[in-house]
Amino acid sequence: MPRPGGDELRIWKIQDRRGSKGYAHKPWIVRWFVGEASFQRSFRTRAEADHLRSELLVAQRNGERFDRSTGEPSSWNEPDPLLAHEWVRRWLAEQWEEWAPRTRRSTVEEMSRLVPLLIKPSAPTPPTDVRLYLQEALGPEASLDRRMEQWLKRWCFPLGDLDRSLLSEVDRRLGIGVSGKPLAAVTALRYRKAARACIRRAVDLELLPRDPWPPQARGAKNRKVRRKAASRAIDIRRLPDQATMQAALEAMRNHQPASRTYQAMTTVLAYAGLRPSETVMLRPRALSLPANGWGAIEVTEADIDFDEPGDPKTGDRTVPIPEDLVSLLRSWIDDGSFGPDDLMFRTINDRRPSPSNWRRAWHLALSKIEHPPLRPYDCRHFAATTWLNAGVPLGEVARRMGHSVETLCSTYVGALKGDETTSNVLIDRYRGADGKAR
């Protein structure tokens, strides 16, 4: 590119071609040379031509370089700044292949909460609901609405404008729901964690000079709240005892045809400790059902995305099942005439059972026996605490649940508190009355 000034850049006066053939619509001509290359622009009005010529003169006085191919100052060819919603799309596309379908959906949901908070306050009402649109349009292969994309391009903050003051307000609003009420601590923590990860990735790629996300509070009170929000421990006092669980399972059967399906699925959760996603993908070939005694379930599949089979969350495992569950599953297979590769739990329309209907059937059964509501997933917790209270070794319980021992202990710490007295008795028995080891 040549340097401006001297003979290399020459800007002519505006030419008036009114009345000339071929210039009827745009008679005002701005001509200039960059080296030996000649350039010109035609305009309808003199004012438009004056504006371009004055901008060229200003660039010349400022010492800007001119591009020989376009004839324009180099600063005119700088790319548009990367907008915040465009960066979010790039970040999602970068991670997309590594994420499981459920992670993709949850992260898109989290980003659909972040992007509307990065819209300029002066923005007018959007053509449609921003959050709902983003839930459908942020994924790499999503179809885009032209009007909505133009609105986002006009009113979304550039990525480089995100500073600590702006993101401090974003951090606060991520803890508030659409209705204006505070979100649950765990939900707000999830939204903030995803938002921070997105912004910090831009810092890693040097799209931002430094991390603009505000630091978390260091006070003891806030640390306690965060520890409580992040805790995975289950309140075992909410779980039913053996007799109550049996009564709840029996109460699930009613005149509805699907009630028997939901009862069988819930029984698998309560006595085999499977996850709901693993239960809905059970097939007869995964079962070992002897005539007497304990059987087993080979857990090798899980529902990862609307009847799409995939690997279980923590890998394959074998789970022993008690005799009463063996009998239930054997009768279920006999009554349904399933093939070895058929899915066992389906609706009358050959669809997977609805999670909402499953939850509703479980809540109705609990209300019949006057027990507070629980999630179907809590039946898996019931299985784990049953095994722990029965004295099954931690390693074996962790294996059956598909957990590490560390995760098991942190999740079911409440079921382990009674081990102290038992442990003391065992130690005394080992050491003997005289205090010497036997």
Side-chain angles (χ1 to χ4, degrees):
M1 298 179 192
R3 291 185 179 278
D7 294 331
E8 293 189 2
L9 176 64
R10 290 165 290 163
I11 304 173
W12 290 18
K13 292 183 179 180
I14 296 174
Q15 298 180 2
D16 182 0
R17 296 295 183 88
R18 288 178 294 181
S20 300
K21 186 177 180 180
Y23 292 92
H25 295 295
K26 295 183 177 181
W28 303 99
I29 312 299
V30 179
R31 297 187 64 200
W32 72 100
F33 283 82
V34 178
E36 298 299 325
S38 174
F39 302 92
Q40 72 175 42
R41 300 285 190 276
S42 302
F43 296 94
R44 292 180 180 275
T45 65
R46 175 66 185 259
E48 292 175 309
D50 278 333
H51 180 70
L52 174 62
R53 187 172 185 275
S54 64
E55 287 188 330
L56 293 172
L57 290 170
V58 169
Q60 182 186 27
R61 286 196 298 269
N62 291 339
E64 290 193 40
R65 291 180 177 273
F66 279 67
D67 191 327
R68 286 185 183 272
S69 61
T70 64
E72 298 177 348
S74 300
S75 61
W76 293 12
N77 300 320
E78 292 178 355
D80 294 333
L82 180 64
L83 300 178
H85 76 284
E86 294 172 339
W87 164 246
V88 168
R89 276 206 180 98
R90 277 181 52 182
W91 178 69
L92 287 170
E94 178 186 280
Q95 310 290 334
W96 200 257
E97 293 299 325
E98 300 180 9
W99 284 341
R102 282 198 181 94
T103 304
R104 294 173 182 174
R105 288 200 304 272
S106 63
T107 309
V108 167
E109 177 201 356
E110 290 149 8
M111 292 300 100
S112 71
R113 294 296 306 273
L114 171 65
V115 171
L117 302 180
L118 302 177
I119 301 297
K120 298 175 183 177
S122 58
T125 303
T128 185
D129 186 277
V130 179
R131 185 172 61 88
L132 295 180
Y133 170 72
L134 292 171
Q135 287 179 355
E136 302 295 332
L138 279 179
E141 300 177 357
S143 58
L144 305 181
D145 179 82
R146 184 179 60 84
R147 291 181 61 208
M148 195 64 202
E149 290 299 314
Q150 289 177 344
W151 187 88
L152 287 169
K153 188 172 183 178
R154 175 69 178 84
W155 298 107
C156 196
F157 278 109
L159 183 65
D161 288 357
L162 303 185
D163 55 22
R164 185 153 293 184
S165 175
L166 173 61
L167 292 182
S168 177
E169 176 64 12
V170 170
D171 184 85
R172 182 189 70 82
R173 292 173 63 188
L174 282 172
I176 301 175
V178 178
S179 63
K181 297 181 180 180
L183 296 172
V186 173
T187 303
L189 187 67
R190 177 166 61 90
Y191 289 150
R192 287 170 175 146
K193 183 178 179 180
R196 283 197 295 267
C198 179
I199 299 301
R200 286 172 181 167
R201 180 57 177 166
V203 178
D204 294 341
L205 296 179
E206 299 182 350
L207 298 174
L208 290 172
R210 57 184 176 276
D211 187 357
W213 201 275
Q216 296 181 339
R218 299 293 183 182
K221 178 181 178 181
N222 289 283
R223 288 199 300 271
K224 185 183 296 183
V225 169
R226 286 199 300 274
R227 285 198 301 270
K228 183 178 180 180
S231 175
R232 294 173 297 187
I234 301 300
D235 184 2
I236 64 170
R237 295 171 298 180
R238 298 176 56 250
L239 301 178
D241 56 24
Q242 298 294 319
T244 304
M245 175 58 74
Q246 185 61 39
L249 292 173
E250 292 175 357
M252 293 190 74
R253 287 290 297 272
N254 55 40
H255 65 283
Q256 296 291 343
S259 65
R260 184 166 176 252
T261 300
Y262 296 130
Q263 181 191 46
M265 293 166 59
T266 309
T267 305
V268 171
L269 265 64
Y271 294 133
L274 269 62
R275 299 179 177 92
S277 61
E278 298 163 347
T279 302
V280 297
M281 298 304 294
L282 276 183
R283 306 175 194 268
R285 59 175 165 79
L287 305 178
S288 174
L289 306 175
N292 297 295
W294 282 62
I297 297 177
E298 296 287 339
V299 183
T300 59
E301 283 185 293
D303 179 20
I304 61 174
D305 188 28
F306 298 101
D307 273 356
E308 179 183 342
D311 295 331
K313 183 177 180 180
T314 51
D316 298 350
R317 66 187 189 279
T318 301
V319 181
I321 55 176
E323 189 170 0
D324 49 354
L325 182 56
V326 169
S327 299
L328 183 148
L329 293 176
R330 189 190 301 111
S331 63
W332 181 267
I333 293 173
D334 293 341
D335 293 345
S337 300
F338 295 101
D341 293 324
D342 293 339
L343 293 172
M344 295 170 52
F345 301 120
R346 313 297 288 174
T347 66
I348 57 175
N349 297 321
D350 198 31
R351 297 178 180 177
R352 74 168 187 168
S354 165
S356 59
N357 288 343
W358 186 2
R359 183 170 56 251
R360 191 178 299 112
W362 177 234
H363 287 177
L364 179 61
L366 291 172
S367 66
K368 289 180 180 178
I369 64 171
E370 299 182 350
H371 192 281
L374 294 171
R375 304 169 302 164
Y377 200 98
D378 288 322
C379 294
R380 172 173 157 85
H381 299 321
F382 168 83
T385 53
T386 296
W387 299 335
L388 290 171
N389 290 330
V392 179
L394 292 178
E396 175 62 13
V397 176
R399 188 195 64 77
R400 296 186 185 198
M401 297 292 292
H403 283 322
S404 66
V405 174
E406 179 184 7
T407 299
L408 180 79
C409 292
S410 62
T411 304
Y412 302 105
V413 62
L416 304 174
K417 292 180 179 179
D419 285 356
E420 181 178 345
T421 302
T422 303
S423 300
N424 291 344
V425 171
L426 293 174
I427 293 171
D428 286 340
R429 186 180 302 164
Y430 175 76
R431 295 178 69 242
D434 56 0
K436 297 180 180 180
R438 299 296 185 229

